[in-house]
Amino acid sequence: MCATRIAVPGPVVLATHDLSKRYRGRTVVDRVSIAVERGDVYGFLGPNGAGKSTTLRMILGLVRPSGGRVELFGQPQGDRRALARVGAIVESPSLYTYLSGRDNLRMLADLSGGAPAARLEEALVRVDLRDRADDPVRIYSHGMKQRLAIAAALLPRPELIILDEPTNGLDPMGIRDMRDLVRSLAADDGITVLLSSHLLAEVEQVCNRATIIARGSRVWEGEVAGLLAGRRRVRLRARPVERARAIAQTMGAEAREVEPGVLHVTRDEITPAALVARLAAAGVEVDEIVAEAPTLEEMFMSLVAGDRPEEAA
Amino acid sequence: MTFVRLLRWELFKLYRRPSSYIGFVLCLAFCAVTLFGFGWTQYKGKEIQGLKLDASQYLNGPFYANFVLNIAFFALLPLVVATVAGSQLAGEAKDGTLRALLVRPPSRALVYLAKAVASLVWVELVIVFLIALALLVGHVAYGGGDLLVYIWEFKSAGFWRVEASDWPLVFALCALGAGAALAVVASVALLLSALTDNPVVAHVGTLGGFFISTVLQRLPDQVMGSSFKELLPTTHMNFWHEIYRWADPAGDGMNRARVLEDVLWCGGLTVVCFAAGLLVFVRRDVTS
């Protein structure tokens, strides 16, 4: 399921221009430029160590860029009024473990300009922590901490929320809840979201636009739908395999034998059901058929090799 | 307004953080151990300046409190200051909570200043607690009366008595003076805390510096010249002892020039370290 832009395309709320960071002569972020528009759920995709967190830290003013610049709501980095319009979680949730969840929220909201008590309760309900709000955070699970950190980021009603690997360390239920929450932030609250992840599937499910970085450099930016265009495939185990390949090719697909008796059939328009129907009609026996998307590693390999999908204008 | 809000939350965090109470616990332990030690030794008295004094003449609540304060000033209180101030930035960096603070509207400079002031307030609370506890325990154990003052630095001047009606004010001023002197230690701890993400480095670095300075300062002049000792911070941190001279009923023997010089020296060092820490903190990358 691909997310779509929720709000009408609007002005750029966050832009980086040739943003770079070097540590002791080693370049960890190399001239990365992105533009997040109002209403985007923007994915920032890359493997671990690609420079995602460093870029987010530069955007938030935690790390000083070695080159380039950041604009938040049209203001240069360091403008505290612009920062007041941003909610953020960088890496693991940053919470005071010796304070209760409620005290954490009260403090972080107060330092962001304040929020009435009713909003605080509302935020606790939204992240399903109202019953545990008075417990010390040290006894919270990782998922609860993550949800509390999101509540803290949401309390000052930000226009842009930056989430750095928000599903890291969560169980499958927690991951699903987190993705639902991110979608809801955009759909119900109209908040622009910048989400970093090393999971292609996550970005595909949640984001409408994305940037991919590898080894500190941007390798792609555009619509997520365009990222996967021509890359969806079906894994097919059939007999006889040569006949199956010929039928797939007559349907306009590319079919490649990746191991004995197994084909990768690549064509976005071909559904597994349609392919099975054609194969069965032709007397081909289908032992296994699985719809697959390329892994992030495969995407990187193909992008770095120059096989780039259509980039957004 | 933002600063007041930050300061309120910094004090709240100190109030709620269990490790903040280590200073108070150490004060209790210190008083208990010294009382036990006095009892064990069956301390009877001492010859001072050729005058044999019976302990029953001066060993009372205020004497005991003064004894505790003076020992704690160069042993216990620097430890408390180093742990409280040294944890302020490095501790939050280590726990990752510094990120949560710095992605919010208050500037880094305000965050730093609020942490500095909160540290000083907390240290002052520990000093007041120590004096109050020692006075209470001392009164229960030895009773009340005038305060006999005898301090190592003033040994050439002998001892003198502060009347019972005056020593509450003397202790109040000493609490403020000792707190002001310990601001030097706090500023060094905060500077180191701004330089590292590991609070232990800030604690050990600060205490190491303090104890080296103390040891060198106490070496004989033949070994460590007095002109060199003038460069050591701890040489100037005892200015608050002059408050006893000021309270001397026999006449105001306070060395005002010396106090002024020491206050300026400590104040200058404190400002320089705070400013250096602020400069480092405002410019540093938060990577923890």
Side-chain angles (χ1 to χ4, degrees), chain B residues 31-263:
Chain B
C31 285
V33 169
T34 49
L35 269 185
F36 182 75
F38 277 7
W40 182 277
T41 312
Q42 296 184 311
Y43 181 65
K44 298 289 188 216
K46 180 171 181 163
E47 189 176 296
I48 301 173
Q49 299 290 301
L51 180 64
K52 178 75 177 169
L53 284 175
D54 181 350
S56 63
Q57 290 180 293
Y58 61 86
L59 182 54
N60 56 17
F63 179 87
Y64 172 75
N66 195 40
F67 169 83
V68 164
L69 176 62
N70 280 281
I71 300 286
F73 181 74
F74 67 83
L76 173 65
L77 293 175
L79 178 75
V80 174
V81 177
T83 50
V84 170
S87 297
Q88 285 287 22
L89 298 169
E92 292 225 20
K94 178 171 167 279
D95 295 342
T97 48
L98 197 56
R99 296 195 301 265
L101 277 184
L102 299 184
V103 299
R104 284 175 164 74
S107 68
R108 288 193 186 197
L110 280 182
V111 169
Y112 182 90
L113 289 175
K115 285 184 173 296
V117 173
S119 302
L120 294 176
V121 169
W122 197 258
V123 167
E124 195 57 50
L125 284 175
V126 174
I127 295 171
V128 170
F129 174 78
L130 175 70
I131 293 173
L133 177 71
L135 280 170
L136 178 68
V137 169
H139 269 83
V140 170
Y142 306 115
D146 292 347
L147 162 65
L148 182 129
V149 179
Y150 179 76
I151 294 178
W152 177 258
E153 287 92 278
F154 303 157
K155 63 181 178 184
S156 59
F159 58 91
W160 60 93
R161 194 175 291 273
V162 177
E163 290 172 359
S165 57
D166 288 340
W167 62 248
L169 176 63
V170 168
F171 275 120
L173 292 175
C174 283
L176 288 174
L182 287 167
V184 175
V185 182
S187 66
V188 173
L190 212 58
L191 168 60
L192 293 178
S193 191
L195 283 167
T196 176
D197 288 345
N198 184 349
V200 175
V201 173
H203 302 163
V204 173
T206 306
L207 283 175
F210 180 84
F211 287 129
I212 288 170
S213 176
T214 302
V215 168
L216 294 180
Q217 176 213 339
R218 284 167 188 265
L219 287 174
D221 284 354
Q222 306 93 297
V223 179
M224 205 59 62
S226 59
S227 58
F228 174 76
K229 289 181 185 175
E230 286 297 311
L231 301 174
L232 299 170
T234 47
T235 303
H236 302 277
M237 284 174 59
N238 289 331
F239 62 86
W240 57 278
H241 284 165
E242 294 283 338
I243 292 165
Y244 299 115
R245 289 184 189 249
W246 168 76
D248 184 2
D252 180 4
M254 186 186 223
N255 185 346
R256 286 183 162 71
R258 179 73 200 182
V259 170
L260 182 64
E261 184 192 333
D262 287 349
V263 167

Side-chain angles (χ1 to χ4, degrees), chain A residues 13 20 30 37 42 62-63 113 115 149 152 166 169 217-219 230 238 279 290 302:
Chain A
V13 296
S20 300
D30 190 13
E37 295 175 3
Y42 194 97
L62 293 172
V63 166
S217 299
R218 192 184 80 179
V219 294
L279 293 170
V290 181
S302 82

Side-chain angles (χ1 to χ4, degrees), chain A residues 21 23 57 60-64 80 83-84 86 88 90-100 103 106-114 138 149 152-153 156, chain B residues 2 5-10 12-19 92 95-108 111 115 282-288:
Chain A
K21 183 64 184 179
Y23 286 115
R57 283 170 190 267
L60 290 165
L62 293 172
V63 166
R64 293 161 65 88
R80 310 310 290 187
L83 202 55
V86 180
V90 183
E91 292 185 12
S92 54
S94 315
L95 298 162
Y96 295 91
T97 53
Y98 50 88
L99 298 182
S100 67
D103 282 340
R106 281 174 54 223
M107 179 177 67
L108 296 173
D110 195 34
L111 296 180
S112 299
R138 70 172 173 273
Chain B
T2 307
R5 194 180 285 175
L6 273 167
L7 179 59
R8 190 163 59 91
W9 283 113
E10 287 304 325
F12 180 74
K13 284 189 284 184
L14 282 170
Y15 163 67
R16 295 297 297 273
R17 193 171 66 197
S19 62
E92 292 225 20
D95 295 342
T97 48
L98 197 56
R99 296 195 301 265
L101 277 184
L102 299 184
V103 299
R104 284 175 164 74
S107 68
R108 288 193 186 197
V111 169
K115 285 184 173 296
V282 166
R283 298 179 62 82
R284 70 168 288 194
D285 288 342
V286 177
T287 54
S288 59

Side-chain angles (χ1 to χ4, degrees), chain A residues 230-247:
Chain A
R231 291 163 191 273
R232 295 182 202 284
R233 69 182 176 220
V234 168
R235 176 184 167 86
L236 175 68
R237 186 184 293 278
R239 286 171 294 169
V241 71
E242 284 309 320
R243 187 141 186 218
R245 189 211 309 256
I247 289 169

